[in-house]
Coordinates of all heavy atoms in Angstrom, one line a residue:
M1 N 0.9 -1.2 0.0 CA 0.0 0.0 0.0 C 0.9 1.2 0.0 O 1.9 1.3 0.6 CB -0.9 0.0 1.2 CG -1.8 1.3 1.3 SD -2.9 1.4 2.7 CE -1.7 1.7 4.0
H2 N 0.5 2.2 -0.7 CA 1.1 3.5 -0.8 C 0.3 4.6 0.0 O -0.9 4.7 -0.2 CB 1.3 4.0 -2.2 CG 2.0 5.2 -2.4 ND1 3.3 5.3 -2.8 CD2 1.7 6.5 -2.2 CE1 3.8 6.5 -2.8 NE2 2.7 7.3 -2.5
R3 N 0.9 5.3 1.0 CA 0.2 6.3 1.7 C 0.8 7.7 1.4 O 2.0 7.9 1.5 CB 0.3 6.0 3.2 CG -0.4 7.1 4.1 CD -0.7 6.6 5.4 NE -1.9 5.7 5.3 CZ -2.3 4.9 6.3 NH1 -1.6 4.8 7.4 NH2 -3.3 4.2 6.1
H4 N -0.1 8.6 1.1 CA 0.3 10.0 0.7 C -0.2 10.9 1.8 O -1.4 10.8 2.2 CB -0.4 10.3 -0.6 CG -0.3 11.7 -1.0 ND1 0.9 12.3 -1.3 CD2 -1.3 12.6 -1.2 CE1 0.6 13.6 -1.7 NE2 -0.7 13.8 -1.7
T5 N 0.7 11.6 2.4 CA 0.3 12.5 3.6 C 0.7 13.9 3.2 O 1.8 14.2 2.8 CB 1.0 12.0 4.9 OG1 0.7 10.7 5.1 CG2 0.6 12.9 6.0
V6 N -0.2 14.8 3.5 CA 0.1 16.3 3.3 C -0.4 17.0 4.6 O -1.5 16.9 5.1 CB -0.7 16.9 2.1 CG1 -0.4 18.4 2.0 CG2 -0.5 16.1 0.9
L7 N 0.6 17.7 5.2 CA 0.3 18.6 6.4 C 0.3 20.0 5.9 O 1.2 20.3 5.1 CB 1.4 18.4 7.5 CG 1.5 17.0 8.1 CD1 2.8 16.8 8.8 CD2 0.3 16.7 8.9
F8 N -0.7 20.8 6.2 CA -0.8 22.1 5.6 C -1.5 23.1 6.5 O -2.2 22.7 7.4 CB -1.4 22.0 4.3 CG -2.9 21.5 4.3 CD1 -3.9 22.4 4.2 CD2 -3.1 20.2 4.3 CE1 -5.2 22.0 4.2 CE2 -4.5 19.7 4.3 CZ -5.5 20.6 4.3
N9 N -1.2 24.4 6.2 CA -2.0 25.5 6.8 C -2.6 26.3 5.6 O -2.1 26.3 4.5 CB -1.0 26.4 7.5 CG -0.5 25.8 8.8 OD1 -1.2 25.2 9.6 ND2 0.8 25.9 9.0
L10 N -3.7 26.9 5.9 CA -4.4 27.8 4.9 C -4.1 29.2 5.3 O -4.0 29.5 6.5 CB -5.9 27.4 4.9 CG -6.2 26.1 4.4 CD1 -7.7 25.8 4.5 CD2 -5.8 25.8 3.0
K11 N -4.0 30.1 4.3 CA -3.8 31.5 4.5 C -4.8 32.1 5.4 O -6.0 31.9 5.3 CB -3.7 32.2 3.2 CG -2.5 31.8 2.3 CD -2.6 32.4 1.0 CE -1.5 31.9 0.1 NZ -1.6 32.4 -1.3
D12 N -4.3 33.0 6.3 CA -5.2 33.7 7.3 C -6.2 34.6 6.6 O -7.3 34.8 7.2 CB -4.4 34.5 8.3 CG -3.4 33.6 9.1 OD1 -3.8 32.5 9.3 OD2 -2.4 34.2 9.5
E13 N -5.9 35.1 5.4 CA -6.8 36.0 4.7 C -8.1 35.4 4.3 O -9.1 36.1 3.9 CB -6.1 36.6 3.5 CG -5.8 35.6 2.5 CD -4.6 36.0 1.6 OE1 -3.5 36.3 2.2 OE2 -4.7 36.0 0.4
F14 N -8.2 34.1 4.3 CA -9.5 33.4 3.9 C -10.4 33.3 5.0 O -10.0 33.0 6.2 CB -9.2 32.1 3.2 CG -8.5 32.3 1.9 CD1 -7.1 32.1 1.8 CD2 -9.2 32.6 0.7 CE1 -6.4 32.3 0.6 CE2 -8.6 32.8 -0.5 CZ -7.2 32.6 -0.5
S15 N -11.7 33.4 4.8 CA -12.7 33.3 5.8 C -12.9 31.8 6.2 O -12.5 30.9 5.5 CB -14.1 33.8 5.3 OG -14.6 32.9 4.3
A16 N -13.6 31.6 7.4 CA -13.8 30.3 7.8 C -14.6 29.5 6.8 O -14.4 28.3 6.5 CB -14.6 30.3 9.1
A17 N -15.6 30.1 6.1 CA -16.4 29.5 5.1 C -15.6 29.1 3.9 O -15.7 28.0 3.3 CB -17.6 30.4 4.7
E18 N -14.7 30.0 3.5 CA -13.8 29.6 2.4 C -12.8 28.5 2.7 O -12.6 27.6 1.9 CB -12.9 30.9 2.0 CG -13.7 31.9 1.3 CD -13.0 33.2 1.1 OE1 -12.3 33.7 2.1 OE2 -13.0 33.8 0.0
K19 N -12.4 28.4 4.0 CA -11.5 27.3 4.4 C -12.3 26.0 4.4 O -11.8 25.0 3.9 CB -10.9 27.6 5.8 CG -9.9 28.7 5.7 CD -9.3 29.0 7.1 CE -8.2 30.1 7.0 NZ -7.6 30.4 8.3
I20 N -13.5 26.0 4.9 CA -14.4 24.8 4.8 C -14.6 24.4 3.4 O -14.5 23.2 3.1 CB -15.7 25.1 5.5 CG1 -15.5 25.2 7.1 CG2 -16.7 24.0 5.3 CD1 -16.7 25.8 7.8
G21 N -14.8 25.3 2.5 CA -15.0 25.0 1.1 C -13.7 24.3 0.5 O -13.8 23.3 -0.2
A22 N -12.6 24.8 0.9 CA -11.3 24.2 0.5 C -11.1 22.8 1.0 O -10.7 21.9 0.3 CB -10.1 25.0 0.9
L23 N -11.5 22.6 2.3 CA -11.4 21.2 2.8 C -12.4 20.3 2.1 O -12.0 19.1 1.9 CB -11.7 21.3 4.3 CG -10.7 22.1 5.2 CD1 -11.1 22.2 6.6 CD2 -9.3 21.6 5.1
E24 N -13.5 20.7 1.8 CA -14.5 19.9 1.1 C -14.0 19.6 -0.3 O -14.2 18.5 -0.8 CB -15.9 20.6 1.1 CG -16.6 20.6 2.4 CD -16.7 19.2 3.0 OE1 -17.2 18.3 2.3 OE2 -16.5 19.0 4.2
A25 N -13.4 20.5 -0.9 CA -12.8 20.3 -2.3 C -11.7 19.2 -2.2 O -11.7 18.3 -3.0 CB -12.2 21.6 -2.8
L26 N -10.9 19.3 -1.2 CA -9.9 18.2 -1.0 C -10.5 16.9 -0.7 O -10.1 15.9 -1.2 CB -8.9 18.6 0.2 CG -8.0 19.8 -0.2 CD1 -7.2 20.3 1.1 CD2 -7.0 19.4 -1.2
R27 N -11.6 16.9 0.1 CA -12.3 15.6 0.4 C -12.9 15.0 -0.8 O -13.0 13.8 -0.9 CB -13.3 15.8 1.5 CG -12.8 16.1 2.9 CD -13.8 16.3 3.9 NE -13.2 16.6 5.2 CZ -13.4 17.7 5.9 NH1 -14.2 18.6 5.5 NH2 -12.7 17.9 7.1
S28 N -13.2 15.8 -1.8 CA -13.8 15.3 -3.0 C -12.8 14.5 -3.8 O -13.2 13.7 -4.7 CB -14.4 16.5 -3.9 OG -13.3 17.1 -4.5
L29 N -11.6 14.6 -3.5 CA -10.5 13.8 -4.2 C -10.7 12.3 -4.0 O -10.2 11.4 -4.7 CB -9.1 14.2 -3.8 CG -8.8 15.6 -4.2 CD1 -7.4 16.0 -3.6 CD2 -8.8 15.8 -5.7
K30 N -11.5 11.9 -2.9 CA -11.7 10.5 -2.7 C -12.6 9.9 -3.8 O -12.6 8.6 -3.9 CB -12.4 10.3 -1.3 CG -13.8 10.8 -1.2 CD -14.3 10.6 0.2 CE -15.6 11.3 0.4 NZ -16.0 11.4 1.8
S31 N -13.2 10.7 -4.6 CA -14.0 10.1 -5.7 C -13.1 9.6 -6.9 O -13.6 8.9 -7.8 CB -14.9 11.2 -6.3 OG -14.2 12.3 -6.9
I32 N -11.8 9.9 -6.8 CA -10.9 9.4 -7.9 C -10.8 7.9 -7.7 O -10.5 7.4 -6.6 CB -9.6 10.1 -7.8 CG1 -9.8 11.6 -8.1 CG2 -8.6 9.5 -8.8 CD1 -8.5 12.4 -7.9
A33 N -11.1 7.1 -8.7 CA -11.2 5.7 -8.6 C -10.0 4.9 -8.0 O -10.2 4.0 -7.2 CB -11.4 5.1 -10.0
V34 N -8.8 5.4 -8.2 CA -7.7 4.7 -7.6 C -7.4 4.9 -6.2 O -6.6 4.3 -5.5 CB -6.4 4.9 -8.4 CG1 -6.5 4.4 -9.8 CG2 -6.0 6.4 -8.4
C35 N -8.2 5.9 -5.6 CA -8.0 6.3 -4.2 C -8.8 5.3 -3.4 O -10.0 5.2 -3.4 CB -8.5 7.7 -4.0 SG -8.2 8.4 -2.4
Q36 N -8.1 4.6 -2.5 CA -8.7 3.5 -1.7 C -9.3 4.1 -0.4 O -10.1 3.5 0.2 CB -7.7 2.4 -1.3 CG -7.3 1.6 -2.5 CD -6.4 0.5 -2.2 OE1 -5.7 0.5 -1.1 NE2 -6.4 -0.5 -3.0
G37 N -8.8 5.3 0.0 CA -9.3 5.9 1.2 C -8.7 7.3 1.3 O -7.5 7.5 0.8
L38 N -9.4 8.3 1.8 CA -8.9 9.6 1.9 C -9.6 10.3 3.1 O -10.8 10.2 3.3 CB -9.2 10.4 0.6 CG -8.6 11.8 0.6 CD1 -7.9 12.1 -0.7 CD2 -9.7 12.9 0.9
M39 N -8.8 11.0 3.9 CA -9.3 11.8 5.0 C -8.6 13.2 5.0 O -7.4 13.3 4.7 CB -9.2 11.2 6.3 CG -7.7 10.9 6.8 SD -7.6 10.4 8.5 CE -7.1 11.9 9.2
V40 N -9.4 14.2 5.3 CA -8.9 15.5 5.5 C -9.5 16.1 6.8 O -10.7 16.1 6.9 CB -9.3 16.5 4.3 CG1 -8.8 17.9 4.6 CG2 -8.8 15.9 3.0
E41 N -8.6 16.4 7.8 CA -9.1 16.7 9.1 C -8.2 17.9 9.7 O -7.1 18.1 9.2 CB -9.0 15.5 10.0 CG -9.9 14.4 9.7 CD -11.4 14.7 9.7 OE1 -11.8 15.6 10.4 OE2 -12.1 14.1 8.9
K42 N -8.8 18.5 10.7 CA -8.1 19.5 11.4 C -7.3 18.8 12.5 O -7.7 17.9 13.1 CB -9.0 20.5 12.0 CG -8.4 21.7 12.7 CD -9.3 22.7 13.1 CE -8.6 23.9 13.7 NZ -9.3 25.0 13.9
N43 N -6.0 19.3 12.7 CA -5.1 18.7 13.7 C -5.8 19.0 15.1 O -6.1 20.1 15.4 CB -3.8 19.4 13.6 CG -2.7 18.7 14.4 OD1 -3.0 17.9 15.3 ND2 -1.5 19.0 14.2
K44 N -5.8 18.0 15.9 CA -6.4 18.2 17.3 C -5.4 18.9 18.2 O -5.8 19.4 19.2 CB -6.8 16.8 17.9 CG -7.9 16.2 17.1 CD -8.3 14.9 17.7 CE -9.0 15.2 19.0 NZ -9.7 14.0 19.6
L45 N -4.1 18.9 17.9 CA -3.1 19.5 18.7 C -3.1 21.0 18.5 O -3.2 21.5 17.3 CB -1.7 18.9 18.4 CG -1.6 17.4 18.7 CD1 -0.2 17.0 18.2 CD2 -1.7 17.1 20.1
P46 N -2.9 21.8 19.5 CA -2.8 23.2 19.3 C -1.6 23.6 18.5 O -0.5 23.0 18.6 CB -2.7 23.8 20.7 CG -2.4 22.7 21.6 CD -2.8 21.4 20.9
A47 N -1.7 24.6 17.7 CA -0.6 25.0 16.8 C 0.5 25.5 17.7 O 0.3 26.2 18.7 CB -1.1 26.1 15.9
G48 N 1.7 25.1 17.3 CA 2.9 25.5 18.1 C 4.1 24.9 17.4 O 4.1 24.3 16.4
P49 N 5.3 25.1 18.1 CA 6.5 24.6 17.5 C 6.6 23.1 17.2 O 7.2 22.7 16.2 CB 7.6 24.9 18.6 CG 6.9 25.9 19.5 CD 5.5 25.7 19.4
T50 N 5.9 22.3 18.0 CA 5.9 20.8 17.7 C 4.7 20.4 16.9 O 4.7 19.2 16.5 CB 5.9 20.0 19.0 OG1 4.8 20.4 19.8 CG2 7.2 20.3 19.8
A51 N 3.8 21.3 16.6 CA 2.6 20.9 15.8 C 2.3 22.2 14.9 O 1.3 22.8 15.1 CB 1.4 20.5 16.6
P52 N 3.2 22.5 13.9 CA 3.0 23.7 13.2 C 2.0 23.7 12.1 O 1.7 24.7 11.5 CB 4.4 24.0 12.6 CG 5.0 22.6 12.5 CD 4.4 21.8 13.6
Y53 N 1.3 22.5 11.9 CA 0.4 22.4 10.7 C -1.1 22.2 11.3 O -1.3 21.4 12.2 CB 0.7 21.3 9.8 CG 2.0 21.6 9.1 CD1 3.2 21.1 9.5 CD2 2.0 22.5 8.0 CE1 4.4 21.4 8.9 CE2 3.2 22.8 7.4 CZ 4.4 22.3 7.8 OH 5.6 22.6 7.2
E54 N -2.0 23.0 10.8 CA -3.4 22.9 11.3 C -4.2 21.8 10.6 O -5.1 21.3 11.3 CB -4.1 24.3 10.9 CG -5.4 24.4 11.6 CD -6.0 25.8 11.5 OE1 -5.4 26.7 10.8 OE2 -7.0 26.1 12.1
Y55 N -3.8 21.4 9.4 CA -4.7 20.3 8.7 C -3.8 19.2 8.2 O -2.6 19.4 8.0 CB -5.4 21.0 7.5 CG -6.3 22.1 7.9 CD1 -5.9 23.4 7.8 CD2 -7.6 21.9 8.4 CE1 -6.7 24.5 8.2 CE2 -8.4 22.9 8.8 CZ -8.0 24.2 8.7 OH -8.8 25.2 9.1
I56 N -4.5 18.0 8.0 CA -3.8 16.9 7.4 C -4.7 16.2 6.4 O -5.9 16.2 6.6 CB -3.4 15.9 8.6 CG1 -2.6 14.7 8.0 CG2 -4.6 15.4 9.3 CD1 -2.0 13.8 9.0
L57 N -4.1 15.8 5.3 CA -4.7 15.0 4.3 C -3.9 13.7 4.3 O -2.7 13.7 4.2 CB -4.7 15.7 3.0 CG -5.2 14.9 1.8 CD1 -5.8 15.8 0.7 CD2 -4.2 14.0 1.1
I58 N -4.6 12.5 4.3 CA -4.0 11.2 4.2 C -4.8 10.5 3.1 O -6.0 10.4 3.2 CB -4.0 10.4 5.4 CG1 -3.2 11.1 6.5 CG2 -3.4 9.0 5.2 CD1 -3.3 10.5 7.9
A59 N -4.1 10.0 2.1 CA -4.7 9.2 1.0 C -4.0 7.9 0.8 O -2.8 7.9 0.9 CB -4.7 10.0 -0.3
D60 N -4.7 6.9 0.6 CA -4.2 5.5 0.5 C -4.4 5.0 -1.0 O -5.5 5.2 -1.5 CB -4.7 4.5 1.5 CG -4.3 4.9 2.9 OD1 -3.2 5.4 3.1 OD2 -5.1 4.6 3.8
F61 N -3.4 4.3 -1.5 CA -3.5 3.7 -2.8 C -2.9 2.3 -2.8 O -2.1 2.0 -1.9 CB -2.6 4.6 -3.8 CG -3.1 6.0 -3.8 CD1 -2.4 7.0 -3.0 CD2 -4.1 6.5 -4.6 CE1 -2.8 8.3 -2.9 CE2 -4.5 7.8 -4.5 CZ -3.9 8.7 -3.7
A62 N -3.3 1.5 -3.7 CA -2.8 0.1 -3.8 C -1.3 0.1 -4.0 O -0.6 -0.8 -3.4 CB -3.5 -0.7 -4.8
N63 N -0.7 1.0 -4.8 CA 0.7 1.0 -5.2 C 1.1 2.4 -5.7 O 0.3 3.3 -5.8 CB 0.9 -0.1 -6.2 CG -0.1 0.0 -7.3 OD1 -0.3 1.1 -7.9 ND2 -0.7 -1.1 -7.7
D64 N 2.4 2.4 -6.0 CA 2.9 3.7 -6.6 C 2.3 4.1 -7.9 O 2.1 5.3 -8.1 CB 4.4 3.6 -6.8 CG 5.2 3.4 -5.5 OD1 4.6 3.5 -4.4 OD2 6.4 3.3 -5.6
A65 N 2.0 3.2 -8.7 CA 1.3 3.5 -10.0 C 0.0 4.2 -9.8 O -0.4 5.1 -10.5 CB 1.2 2.2 -10.9
D66 N -0.8 3.7 -8.8 CA -2.1 4.3 -8.6 C -1.9 5.7 -8.0 O -2.7 6.6 -8.4 CB -2.9 3.4 -7.6 CG -3.5 2.2 -8.3 OD1 -3.4 2.1 -9.5 OD2 -4.2 1.4 -7.6
R67 N -0.9 5.9 -7.2 CA -0.6 7.3 -6.7 C -0.3 8.2 -7.9 O -0.7 9.3 -7.9 CB 0.5 7.2 -5.7 CG 1.2 8.5 -5.4 CD 0.3 9.4 -4.6 NE 1.0 10.5 -4.0 CZ 1.2 11.7 -4.6 NH1 0.7 12.0 -5.8 NH2 1.9 12.7 -4.0
E68 N 0.5 7.7 -8.8 CA 0.8 8.5 -10.0 C -0.4 8.8 -10.8 O -0.6 9.9 -11.3 CB 1.9 7.8 -10.8 CG 3.2 7.8 -10.1 CD 4.3 7.0 -10.9 OE1 4.1 6.9 -12.1 OE2 5.3 6.6 -10.2
T69 N -1.3 7.9 -11.0 CA -2.6 8.0 -11.7 C -3.4 9.1 -11.0 O -4.0 10.0 -11.7 CB -3.3 6.7 -11.8 OG1 -2.6 5.8 -12.5 CG2 -4.7 6.9 -12.5
Y70 N -3.5 9.1 -9.7 CA -4.2 10.1 -8.9 C -3.7 11.5 -9.1 O -4.4 12.4 -9.4 CB -4.1 9.6 -7.4 CG -4.5 10.7 -6.4 CD1 -5.8 10.9 -6.0 CD2 -3.5 11.4 -5.7 CE1 -6.1 11.8 -5.0 CE2 -3.8 12.3 -4.8 CZ -5.1 12.5 -4.4 OH -5.4 13.4 -3.4
E71 N -2.4 11.5 -9.1 CA -1.7 12.8 -9.3 C -2.0 13.5 -10.6 O -2.2 14.7 -10.7 CB -0.1 12.6 -9.2 CG 0.7 13.9 -9.1 CD 0.6 14.5 -7.8 OE1 0.3 13.9 -6.7 OE2 0.8 15.8 -7.7
K72 N -2.2 12.7 -11.6 CA -2.4 13.2 -13.0 C -3.9 13.3 -13.3 O -4.3 13.9 -14.3 CB -1.8 12.3 -14.0 CG -0.3 12.4 -13.9 CD 0.4 11.4 -14.8 CE 1.9 11.3 -14.6 NZ 2.6 10.3 -15.3
D73 N -4.8 12.8 -12.4 CA -6.2 12.8 -12.7 C -6.7 14.3 -12.9 O -6.3 15.1 -12.1 CB -7.0 12.1 -11.5 CG -8.4 12.0 -11.8 OD1 -9.2 13.0 -11.5 OD2 -8.9 11.0 -12.2
P74 N -7.5 14.6 -13.9 CA -8.0 15.9 -14.1 C -8.7 16.6 -12.8 O -8.5 17.8 -12.6 CB -9.0 15.8 -15.3 CG -8.6 14.5 -16.0 CD -8.0 13.6 -14.9
H75 N -9.4 15.8 -12.1 CA -10.1 16.3 -10.9 C -9.0 16.7 -9.9 O -9.1 17.8 -9.3 CB -11.1 15.3 -10.3 CG -11.8 15.9 -9.1 ND1 -12.6 17.0 -9.2 CD2 -11.8 15.4 -7.8 CE1 -13.1 17.3 -7.9 NE2 -12.6 16.3 -7.1
H76 N -8.0 15.9 -9.7 CA -6.9 16.2 -8.7 C -6.2 17.5 -9.2 O -6.0 18.4 -8.4 CB -6.0 15.1 -8.6 CG -4.8 15.4 -7.7 ND1 -3.6 15.9 -8.2 CD2 -4.6 15.2 -6.4 CE1 -2.8 16.0 -7.1 NE2 -3.4 15.6 -6.0
V77 N -5.9 17.6 -10.4 CA -5.1 18.7 -11.0 C -6.0 20.0 -10.8 O -5.4 21.0 -10.3 CB -4.8 18.5 -12.5 CG1 -4.3 19.8 -13.1 CG2 -3.8 17.4 -12.6
K78 N -7.2 19.9 -11.0 CA -8.1 21.1 -10.9 C -8.2 21.6 -9.4 O -8.0 22.7 -9.1 CB -9.5 20.8 -11.4 CG -10.5 21.9 -11.2 CD -11.9 21.5 -11.8 CE -12.9 22.5 -11.4 NZ -13.2 23.5 -12.4
V79 N -8.4 20.6 -8.5 CA -8.5 21.0 -7.0 C -7.2 21.6 -6.5 O -7.2 22.6 -5.8 CB -9.0 19.7 -6.2 CG1 -8.8 20.0 -4.7 CG2 -10.4 19.4 -6.5
I80 N -6.1 21.0 -6.9 CA -4.8 21.5 -6.4 C -4.5 22.8 -7.0 O -4.1 23.7 -6.3 CB -3.7 20.4 -6.7 CG1 -4.0 19.1 -6.0 CG2 -2.3 21.0 -6.4 CD1 -4.2 19.2 -4.5
R81 N -4.7 23.0 -8.3 CA -4.3 24.3 -9.0 C -5.3 25.4 -8.6 O -4.8 26.5 -8.4 CB -4.3 24.1 -10.5 CG -3.1 23.4 -11.0 CD -3.0 23.4 -12.5 NE -1.9 22.6 -12.9 CZ -1.7 22.2 -14.2 NH1 -2.6 22.5 -15.1 NH2 -0.7 21.5 -14.5
E82 N -6.6 25.1 -8.6 CA -7.6 26.2 -8.4 C -8.0 26.4 -6.9 O -8.4 27.5 -6.6 CB -8.8 25.8 -9.2 CG -8.6 25.8 -10.7 CD -9.8 25.5 -11.5 OE1 -10.9 25.5 -11.0 OE2 -9.6 25.2 -12.7
T83 N -7.8 25.5 -6.1 CA -8.2 25.7 -4.7 C -7.0 25.6 -3.7 O -6.7 26.5 -3.0 CB -9.3 24.6 -4.3 OG1 -10.4 24.7 -5.2 CG2 -9.8 24.8 -2.9
F84 N -6.3 24.4 -3.7 CA -5.3 24.2 -2.7 C -4.2 25.2 -2.8 O -3.8 25.9 -1.8 CB -4.8 22.7 -2.7 CG -3.7 22.5 -1.7 CD1 -4.1 22.4 -0.4 CD2 -2.4 22.4 -2.1 CE1 -3.1 22.2 0.6 CE2 -1.4 22.2 -1.1 CZ -1.8 22.0 0.3
L85 N -3.5 25.2 -3.9 CA -2.3 26.1 -4.0 C -2.6 27.6 -3.8 O -1.8 28.2 -3.1 CB -1.6 25.9 -5.4 CG -0.9 24.5 -5.5 CD1 -0.3 24.3 -6.9 CD2 0.1 24.3 -4.5
P86 N -3.7 28.1 -4.3 CA -3.9 29.5 -4.0 C -4.2 29.8 -2.5 O -4.0 30.9 -2.1 CB -5.2 29.9 -4.9 CG -5.2 28.9 -5.9 CD -4.6 27.6 -5.3
M87 N -4.8 28.8 -1.8 CA -5.1 29.0 -0.4 C -4.1 28.5 0.6 O -4.2 28.9 1.8 CB -6.5 28.3 -0.2 CG -7.6 29.0 -0.9 SD -9.2 28.3 -0.5 CE -9.5 29.0 1.2
A88 N -3.2 27.7 0.1 CA -2.2 27.1 1.0 C -1.2 28.2 1.5 O -0.6 28.9 0.7 CB -1.5 26.0 0.4
K89 N -1.0 28.3 2.8 CA 0.0 29.1 3.4 C 1.3 28.4 3.3 O 2.4 29.0 2.9 CB -0.3 29.4 4.8 CG 0.6 30.3 5.6 CD 0.1 30.4 7.0 CE 0.4 31.7 7.7 NZ -0.2 31.8 9.0
N90 N 1.4 27.1 3.7 CA 2.5 26.3 3.6 C 2.1 24.8 3.7 O 1.0 24.6 4.2 CB 3.6 26.7 4.6 CG 3.0 26.7 6.0 OD1 2.0 26.2 6.3 ND2 3.7 27.4 6.9
Y91 N 3.0 23.9 3.3 CA 2.6 22.5 3.4 C 3.9 21.7 3.2 O 4.9 22.1 2.7 CB 1.6 22.1 2.3 CG 2.1 22.3 0.9 CD1 2.6 21.3 0.2 CD2 1.9 23.6 0.3 CE1 3.0 21.5 -1.2 CE2 2.3 23.7 -1.0 CZ 2.8 22.7 -1.8 OH 3.3 22.9 -3.0
I92 N 3.8 20.4 3.7 CA 4.8 19.4 3.5 C 4.1 18.1 3.1 O 3.0 17.9 3.4 CB 5.7 19.2 4.7 CG1 4.9 18.7 5.9 CG2 6.5 20.4 5.1 CD1 5.7 18.3 7.1
I93 N 4.8 17.4 2.3 CA 4.3 16.1 1.8 C 5.2 15.0 2.1 O 6.4 15.1 2.0 CB 4.1 16.2 0.2 CG1 3.1 17.3 -0.2 CG2 3.6 14.9 -0.4 CD1 3.1 17.6 -1.6
A94 N 4.7 13.9 2.5 CA 5.4 12.6 2.7 C 4.7 11.5 2.1 O 3.4 11.4 2.2 CB 5.7 12.4 4.2
D95 N 5.4 10.6 1.3 CA 4.8 9.4 0.8 C 5.6 8.2 1.2 O 6.8 8.3 1.2 CB 4.8 9.5 -0.8 CG 3.7 10.4 -1.4 OD1 3.4 11.4 -0.7 OD2 3.2 10.0 -2.4
V96 N 4.9 7.2 1.7 CA 5.5 6.0 2.1 C 4.8 4.7 1.5 O 3.7 4.8 1.2 CB 5.6 5.9 3.7 CG1 6.4 7.0 4.2 CG2 4.2 5.8 4.3
N97 N 5.6 3.7 1.4 CA 4.9 2.4 1.1 C 4.9 1.5 2.4 O 5.9 1.4 3.1 CB 5.7 1.6 0.0 CG 5.5 2.3 -1.3 OD1 4.5 2.9 -1.6 ND2 6.6 2.2 -2.2
V98 N 3.7 1.1 2.7 CA 3.6 0.3 4.0 C 3.1 -1.1 3.7 O 2.5 -1.4 2.7 CB 2.6 1.0 5.0 CG1 3.2 2.3 5.4 CG2 1.3 1.3 4.4

């Protein structure tokens, strides 16, 4: 199994409603056929030096090839280009095979 993890913050200039919309757009990525599971949640830990990211996205795929298919899927490209990147303050990505 391939696990894709993104920790991120959204820019302060966006309203709570806009941020909720962005999270829902990210959650819609679970509709991509090769995605075996996806969650987007707010970090329960208070923001600080040891927990600098407010949100997390975790997506699971059968293998690396499915992760690559997801990356190139038109819906993924649209959500990332039109919603995530313009609203992201910062982020880090980690991918592992488990």
Side-chain angles (χ1 to χ4, degrees):
M1 178 180 73
H2 183 100
R3 177 159 286 163
H4 171 64
T5 304
V6 183
L7 299 166
F8 63 98
N9 292 312
L10 297 174
K11 293 176 184 171
D12 298 333
E13 64 206 55
F14 291 99
S15 70
E18 289 170 314
K19 289 179 180 181
I20 289 169
L23 299 177
E24 288 304 314
L26 290 169
R27 288 181 183 118
S28 76
L29 297 173
K30 69 183 170 192
S31 68
I32 298 172
V34 295
C35 187
Q36 293 185 336
L38 183 136
M39 64 171 255
V40 178
E41 297 297 334
K42 186 170 181 170
N43 191 349
K44 292 180 73 169
L45 298 174
T50 59
Y53 295 97
E54 189 172 7
Y55 301 99
I56 185 169
L57 176 149
I58 299 173
D60 292 330
F61 306 92
N63 50 50
D64 292 357
D66 282 358
R67 164 69 166 92
E68 289 175 25
T69 297
Y70 164 85
E71 190 73 25
K72 296 174 186 173
D73 184 277
H75 181 60
H76 178 268
V77 171
K78 179 180 169 93
V79 168
I80 298 307
R81 285 187 183 165
E82 296 180 12
T83 303
F84 181 73
L85 290 176
M87 293 185 73
K89 182 184 210 175
N90 52 20
Y91 61 94
I92 60 170
I93 299 171
D95 282 36
V96 296
N97 289 331
V98 293

